[in-house]
Amino acid sequence: MEDYCRTSSKSSWPELVGVKGEVAAEIIMRENGKVVAIIVKEGFEVTMDYRCDRVWVWVDHHGIVKYTPRIG
């Protein structure tokens, strides 16, 4: 698993805070083909396990990214 998680690809996207969630998810997956970006509405519960192939994209009730998306 450790070798699988090592990547020279991008692992966080602070520039996407304030962007529509759908747009942010597309950019994330285009910039790092090893991850799946999952849009989550603020306040919803998600699993807390660490996954190097997943990026939570937290959005507000308007669908705008609230927090820096990062691998995990």
Side-chain angles (χ1 to χ4, degrees), residues 50-69:
Y50 182 87
R51 299 257 317 256
C52 55
D53 63 344
R54 173 182 64 209
V55 176
W56 296 124
V57 180
W58 291 95
V59 297
D60 64 14
H61 63 281
H62 297 293
I64 303 299
V65 178
K66 292 280 291 181
Y67 310 105
T68 298

Side-chain angles (χ1 to χ4, degrees), residues 15-51:
E15 70 278 8
L16 296 179
V17 173
V19 174
K20 282 289 263 183
E22 294 84 6
V23 172
E26 289 177 19
I27 291 170
I28 290 166
M29 291 187 291
R30 184 174 61 235
E31 290 186 356
N32 185 338
K34 294 182 177 183
V35 301
V36 174
I38 302 168
I39 298 170
V40 183
K41 291 184 181 176
E42 190 175 31
F44 278 52
E45 292 185 25
V46 296
T47 181
M48 297 302 293
D49 63 323
Y50 182 87
R51 299 257 317 256

